[in-house]
Amino acid sequence: MKVFVGRPLVEPSTAEILAGHDVVFGAGGLPASEWPLLAAVDVLLPTPRERVTEAILAAAPHLGLVASHSVGVDHVDLEACRRRGIRVTNTPDVLTEATADLAWALILAVARRIREGEALVRSGSWDGWKPRELLGVSLQGKTLGIYGMGRIGRAVARRGEAFGMRVVAFDRGQSEEDFGEFLSKVDVLSIHVPLTDATRGRFGEREFRRMKEAAILVNTARGPIVDETALVAALSSKRLLGAGLDVYQREPQIHPGLVFLPNVVLLPHLGSATFETRLAMARLACEEIARFARGEPPLHQVA
Ligand code: DGY
């Protein structure tokens, strides 16, 4: 079976599980220069950086499986895959705890002003302990709002309880009225929904106005769920206390307004970035390919 892997993965994954198959690695991003290689490919293994569009599918007429190295599949044109009878799989479960940890790293970093404190120490200008220096906010007794109670949302909620927070959630099936009430209650809002037509731009000026003043927003899901221009305005005017972002509206471009704000912590899409987790994701994507080659049913089919 001929397999095209979008870019090199953490090993041993392809080397072990796909031994015996003809595996070709791309340089990342699936540029048009790589499309001729897709002509004979049976399986494509993209990461979230490789957008699997109708044009890519047209360049790969023998494709039977897209085994994505990610839980989110917004980079894959699922409808086009369905139409062409191409199976699509993803890698849920194995990244739940790592992503929840990173959401909490951002919550703590913003609440306790880690970025500003670190910069102060490194600047060489810190001259010792002061009662009013870099005061953050306590989390104990505050309300953590989870937007999307899937696997990762639930794992973030569990950690919230350990930090003594009250946890509230907004999930599929709840009304707009419930959403407004949810927004008005939260001190920390953590986003855990997939990017879909329904969630794109879900958090903008109107939503920020409905939130408590001095709330913190954390996004480890997908950037386009948050309107960054509205977020910059809410943070600049101190309408929100701070934000922790791991994902961006036009990733990897960062809204210039975010870069200089002191009350924002910015990470380069590291949610699942532990060695153990990225290895498990790579192996799970390869396992889906091995099952496909053996004619076995998929473990995690999304289309
Ligand atoms: C995913 O899996 O969707 C993450 O964004 C990358 O780990």
Side-chain angles (χ1 to χ4, degrees):
M1 192 156 288
K2 199 166 172 71
V3 181
F4 188 91
V5 181
R7 60 182 68 219
L9 308 181
V10 175
E11 299 287 349
S13 53
T14 62
E16 207 173 272
I17 302 171
L18 301 183
H21 294 288
D22 178 7
V23 182
V24 179
F25 290 91
L30 278 174
S33 57
E34 288 181 353
W35 295 8
L37 295 173
L38 300 177
V41 152
D42 304 292
V43 177
L44 182 58
L45 191 163
T47 75
R49 295 288 307 284
E50 283 76 57
R51 289 181 55 73
V52 183
T53 59
E54 184 88 65
I56 298 276
L57 298 178
H62 305 291
L63 200 64
L65 170 68
V66 174
S68 187
H69 179 293
S70 62
V71 66
V73 285
D74 49 283
H75 57 295
V76 180
D77 186 337
L78 296 179
E79 198 33 58
C81 288
R82 274 188 207 108
R83 238 185 295 116
R84 291 169 183 263
I86 298 169
R87 179 193 289 178
V88 181
T89 59
N90 69 343
T91 58
D93 298 326
V94 293
L95 47 58
T96 300
E97 304 303 326
T99 308
D101 285 348
L102 195 92
W104 264 92
L106 286 170
I107 293 171
L108 289 168
V110 177
R112 299 305 303 272
R113 304 179 68 175
I114 302 287
R115 177 178 166 251
E116 293 158 273
E118 231 259 348
L120 177 61
V121 172
R122 283 183 194 271
S123 73
S125 60
W126 182 54
D127 57 3
W129 191 91
K130 298 177 201 69
R132 301 196 301 198
E133 187 163 71
L134 283 180
L135 300 182
V137 291
S138 294
L139 295 170
Q140 166 98 37
K142 300 274 172 62
T143 300
L144 170 64
I146 307 287
Y147 183 68
M149 267 305 224
R151 300 174 184 86
I152 300 172
R154 290 198 299 273
V156 172
R158 280 199 303 279
R159 285 157 177 74
E161 281 160 12
F163 274 91
M165 295 189 81
R166 200 176 310 113
V167 179
V168 296
F170 182 85
D171 210 5
R172 263 190 298 241
Q174 289 185 262
S175 67
E176 271 306 297
E177 201 186 334
D178 295 335
F179 184 55
E181 205 184 313
F182 166 79
L183 288 177
S184 68
K185 278 190 197 152
V186 304
D187 298 294
V188 176
L189 171 69
S190 196
I191 301 176
H192 300 290
V193 286
L195 175 63
T196 62
D197 288 344
T199 61
R200 189 178 294 277
R202 183 64 157 132
F203 292 90
E205 195 197 331
R206 181 164 164 265
E207 287 67 35
F208 299 144
R209 266 193 281 108
R210 294 164 93 177
M211 287 170 70
K212 276 188 190 172
E213 259 181 53
I216 292 171
L217 177 135
V218 166
N219 189 6
T220 52
R222 283 294 183 266
I225 297 167
V226 175
D227 175 342
E228 282 176 0
T229 302
L231 179 63
V232 167
L235 291 165
S236 309
S237 65
K238 305 257 184 318
R239 182 71 195 75
L240 293 182
L241 181 74
L245 304 177
D246 188 41
V247 289
Y248 303 91
Q249 206 172 347
R250 274 170 283 277
E251 205 167 307
Q253 287 170 46
I254 311 292
H255 190 297
L258 289 170
V259 177
F260 299 105
L261 284 170
N263 47 344
V264 183
V265 178
L266 305 173
L267 294 179
H269 205 146
L270 293 180
S272 61
T274 69
F275 175 77
E276 295 87 341
T277 301
R278 288 281 167 86
L279 178 61
M281 292 168 76
R283 290 184 68 88
L284 182 50
C286 290
E287 191 51 47
E288 292 286 13
I289 297 170
R291 293 176 75 88
F292 179 73
R294 294 194 296 261
E296 292 171 12
L299 295 168
H300 301 290
Q301 182 167 6
V302 289

